[in-house]
Amino acid sequence: MLTITQALVDQIVAHARNDHPDEACGVVAGPAGSDRPERFIPMLNAAMSPTFYEFDSGDLLKLYREMDDRDEEPVVIYHSHTATEAYPSRTDISYANEPGAHYVLVSTADTDGAGEFQFRSFRIVEGEVTEEEVQVVEAY
């Protein structure tokens, strides 16, 4: 289960809406070993595409060095889908290389009539996708 604050959910959704119609992407870092997302880090979608996201390799290297210096790890890796439901695509699955991370997808398309966005979390390990419950809290 992903436990995340309402403030972080709001930041992720706002980033997805702001970058629409392109996909948004980013990371929420947390203390190593804690499984607690704390630090919101929006990233640039280097692909600048409505159907694909890609972290800039230089930005990603800088981020991992910074997280290492702060004894953090990527707790949440997020991106948005602009025209489809919030479910990992084959490409998303093939690029998922952090088995301990929660992969959050936000859809800015109302694909299910449930409202203006979907916010879902998945674990992706060795190509296997498992949806998990999301518990939104005011604070940890």
Side-chain angles (χ1 to χ4, degrees):
M1 174 171 51
L2 169 62
T3 301
I4 188 168
T5 64
Q6 184 66 58
L8 286 169
V9 169
D10 292 347
Q11 288 177 296
I12 292 169
V13 170
H15 185 202
R17 287 182 174 147
N18 288 341
D19 281 13
H20 188 88
D22 289 339
E23 290 191 4
C25 58
V27 172
V28 184
S34 72
D35 198 38
R36 190 175 66 235
E38 292 183 351
R39 189 167 64 95
F40 175 69
I41 308 157
M43 303 283 283
L44 173 70
N45 178 355
M48 298 182 135
S49 167
T51 58
F52 180 74
Y53 83 98
E54 181 177 33
F55 292 118
D56 177 84
S57 59
D59 289 348
L60 199 56
L61 180 61
K62 180 181 168 190
L63 171 63
Y64 271 82
R65 285 182 175 154
E66 183 180 290
M67 285 190 299
D68 192 48
D69 289 346
R70 296 171 63 125
D71 198 26
E72 292 176 326
E73 62 189 6
V75 177
V76 169
I77 298 171
Y78 73 87
H79 77 281
S80 62
H81 283 181
T82 60
T84 59
E85 71 172 317
Y87 190 86
S89 68
R90 285 190 305 262
T91 303
D92 297 339
I93 295 165
S94 71
Y95 284 126
N97 60 2
E98 288 287 349
H102 302 270
Y103 285 88
V104 166
L105 276 97
V106 174
S107 175
T108 53
D110 183 3
T111 58
D112 62 1
E116 55 198 44
F117 71 91
Q118 296 174 340
F119 187 100
R120 297 168 72 184
S121 184
F122 304 86
R123 294 291 192 154
I124 305 173
V125 179
E126 295 180 7
E128 187 172 324
V129 177
T130 306
E131 186 164 9
E132 62 183 352
E133 183 181 341
V134 176
Q135 179 181 29
V136 180
V137 296
E138 286 307 310
Y140 301 123

